[in-house]
Amino acid sequence: MKKDEEKLRKAIIDACRTMNALGINQGTAGNVSARHGDTLLITPSGVPYEALAPEDIVAMSLSGDYGSHEGKLAPSSEWRFHLDIMLARPEVGAVVHTHSPYATALAICGVEIPAVHYMIAAAGGPTIRVAPYATYGTEALSRHALAALEGRSACLLANHGVIATGPSLQRALWLAGEVETLARQYHLAATFGKPRVLPDDEIAVVVEKFKRYGPRQMEAAGAKDAQKTAKPAPRRQRAAAGKGTGRKRGASSGPTPNGRGGKKR
């Protein structure tokens, strides 16, 4: 297993544990997948997240026989909609499925989330739709989910839960949390009266603004990689560069940029 694949497998496990720690999922109810080249890496079926190891993550082909997989464990029972979303939406790099309480409660009632807050634009439009109910793991559920996700990056599943997608695992997990927050806000607002819904044209404006909003995983990763690959100058060059500064050995170099003697915050 190459280092980049192992790193992504570990990130999937971390995402699973994080969504439970955040309270947007319970036990092994949810599942997580991420694209790795022409492979879909997905959580296995029925294994507690605390017990997962990188080698337990199941690899499914995105270019070979439909539904084929490698590994000692079976893929999540919801592998079908994960796979179908990846096949239909090449811009999607990760899928996070949760059973978050407030969003699932709305899904149980068949109530979509309207634009009661501008953050709904993070899901790509003025509503977060509810896909019709179908038995979990079935082709029908996958078909309903794809329809509800048209022009969107998240949807609710009737009497079931939430699907959140993103170009990266970090973005999909972030969106899953935002969907739950929106559902809770909608529920709380409804207890005070009739929530006011923002117009579609305003949400269209925010959708455009949100193309530059949210986690910057790729930029941060690129910066770290650049730091790792940057090599120090040869000793002679460093010595030459230090000449002419007028600074004697042992002299104080003055305050650090953060003014705290180099101590990180």
Side-chain angles (χ1 to χ4, degrees), residues 1-263:
M1 186 187 305
K2 294 183 178 180
K3 288 185 177 180
D4 59 339
E5 181 178 344
E6 183 179 15
K7 182 178 180 181
L8 184 56
R9 286 169 177 258
K10 289 179 178 178
I12 289 172
I13 296 171
D14 289 342
C16 290
R17 294 172 180 172
T18 297
M19 67 184 186
N20 277 16
L22 292 173
I24 60 174
N25 194 66
Q26 307 80 37
T28 59
N31 28 78
V32 175
S33 69
R35 188 190 298 270
H36 181 68
D38 61 355
T39 302
L40 170 70
L41 299 177
I42 188 169
T43 48
S45 179
V47 180
Y49 300 148
E50 294 74 17
L52 282 177
E55 58 269 22
D56 295 326
I57 301 301
V58 182
M60 303 191 74
S61 176
L62 288 169
S63 59
D65 293 337
Y66 182 81
S68 61
H69 66 274
E70 300 176 358
K72 60 183 179 181
L73 300 174
S76 165
S77 59
E78 301 288 15
W79 65 265
R80 191 179 296 273
F81 70 62
H82 284 264
L83 186 62
D84 288 348
I85 290 170
M86 294 285 188
L87 291 173
R89 302 276 292 271
E91 78 279 8
V92 171
V95 177
V96 172
H97 171 52
T98 77
H99 291 185
S100 54
Y102 283 87
T104 300
L106 293 179
I108 289 171
C109 295
V111 177
E112 68 178 16
I113 304 176
V116 291
H117 193 287
Y118 68 81
M119 281 299 294
I120 199 166
T127 60
I128 296 177
R129 306 184 187 105
V130 183
Y133 178 79
T135 305
Y136 75 92
T138 61
E139 181 183 354
L141 177 61
S142 182
R143 188 170 61 251
H144 293 331
L146 282 173
L149 284 169
E150 185 175 354
R152 302 285 191 275
S153 50
C155 73
L156 308 183
L157 303 175
N159 302 87
H160 188 155
V162 178
I163 293 176
T165 70
S168 68
L169 187 54
Q170 183 185 15
R171 181 81 183 197
L173 181 61
W174 170 79
L175 182 56
E178 290 299 324
V179 171
E180 176 64 3
T181 297
L182 286 164
R184 187 178 183 187
Q185 289 169 341
Y186 183 33
H187 164 77
L188 291 172
T191 64
F192 293 101
K194 184 177 180 180
R196 288 183 288 181
V197 177
L198 294 170
D200 290 358
D201 57 352
E202 170 59 17
I203 298 304
V205 170
V206 183
V207 166
E208 287 301 311
K209 290 173 70 71
F210 271 26
K211 291 179 179 178
R212 301 175 298 278
Y213 182 88
R216 294 290 188 263
Q217 184 182 35
M218 298 305 294
E219 290 87 340
K224 289 182 180 179
D225 289 343
Q227 290 177 353
K228 289 180 181 178
T229 56
K231 296 180 180 180
R235 183 176 298 176
R236 291 179 180 177
Q237 292 182 19
R238 296 201 304 270
K243 292 181 179 179
T245 61
R247 184 177 297 156
K248 296 181 180 180
R249 182 177 298 178
S252 171
S253 60
T256 57
N258 60 20
R260 298 195 177 190
K263 187 176 181 181

